[in-house]
Amino acid sequence: MASQAVSYWLLPGREAQAALDQLSSLACKRIRAGVRVCTLPPHITLYSEHLDGDHGVSQEQVIARLQQLADQCKPVCLWPKAIEATSMLTQSLVLRFSAEAREILYPYFLQLRLSSHAELGYRLDPHLSLLYCQDRLDLRRELASELPRPADPLLFESVSAVKHPLIISSSADIAACATIHACSLS
């Protein structure tokens, strides 16, 4: 079995999810024909760590950590700042948030990191991937400049834990993501 990781995701509320799904769908339609595109539910990764194995956290521990996070953290509103394209598959086309987003989410990240014995060196970088593809970077950047950035703050109301391959380098790795557990924020 390939090495697995677990990532803790911050998830948007219903209205924000609908707006993000619509934006992601628009982006997918504008990618060149023949380019493979995949998506995941809209989310911001708060933290990642090893799952199972000799050095990883168990699924039971993951669920307990997620519930503790949900019990101690409140829903948050984050302001979208820009849509960007990068050369990384995992950040092909992303929605970036204002500088305050890192400050707001840092306590969530810190709580997860301090309880982790299987950390991967994850650094908090609040962004939301709209799609994953391997289209040319210049074409992705052009698309990023054309897409309408959400004008209003987005409300995030729940968290989930998702298991996935330790290294994500293909659409098959993205498709292998599976939710372990989800909780609403208090």
Side-chain angles (χ1 to χ4, degrees):
M1 180 199 292
S3 294
Q4 295 279 298
V6 61
S7 290
Y8 300 89
W9 289 357
L10 180 65
L11 303 171
R14 189 176 326 184
E15 285 183 32
Q17 180 170 345
L20 292 165
D21 286 344
Q22 186 176 16
L23 183 58
S24 181
S25 178
L26 177 62
C28 288
K29 288 177 185 171
R30 292 191 180 178
I31 291 289
R32 281 187 308 149
V35 172
R36 186 178 175 113
V37 176
C38 48
T39 61
L40 288 170
H43 67 276
I44 296 172
T45 301
L46 296 171
Y47 190 71
S48 294
E49 62 184 334
H50 286 280
L51 178 66
D52 297 327
D54 294 336
H55 304 290
V57 63
S58 71
Q59 289 194 31
E60 293 78 17
Q61 291 169 315
V62 166
I63 293 168
R65 284 190 190 140
L66 189 70
Q67 189 61 58
Q68 184 179 33
L69 181 71
D71 290 345
Q72 294 179 1
C73 296
K74 299 191 178 326
V76 295
C77 278
L78 302 176
W79 285 90
K81 178 181 80 171
I83 298 174
E84 297 177 354
T86 78
S87 59
M88 296 186 302
L89 173 66
T90 57
Q91 292 186 25
S92 299
L93 192 66
V94 299
L95 180 63
R96 294 268 177 209
F97 292 91
S98 66
E100 293 80 29
R102 189 175 191 295
E103 294 171 31
I104 292 167
L105 298 179
Y106 189 76
Y108 299 42
F109 161 79
L110 191 58
Q111 180 178 335
L112 291 164
R113 191 188 75 182
L114 291 175
S115 66
S116 174
H117 300 291
E119 75 147 325
L120 294 168
Y122 183 79
R123 292 181 178 200
L124 182 63
D125 176 23
H127 67 275
L128 188 144
S129 291
L130 297 170
L131 60 79
Y132 306 89
C133 75
Q134 295 186 338
D135 202 356
R136 290 189 356 228
L137 181 56
D138 61 322
L139 296 175
R140 281 187 269 149
R141 284 185 174 147
E142 183 179 322
L143 174 59
S145 71
E146 295 170 355
L147 289 172
R149 175 182 50 86
D152 296 322
L154 300 172
L155 178 63
F156 291 81
E157 299 180 302
S158 60
V159 288
S160 69
V162 176
K163 66 179 177 178
H164 55 83
L166 182 60
I167 297 176
I168 296 178
S169 59
S170 70
S171 56
D173 295 333
I174 292 167
C177 292
T179 300
I180 296 171
H181 192 68
C183 302
S184 294
L185 297 173
S186 336

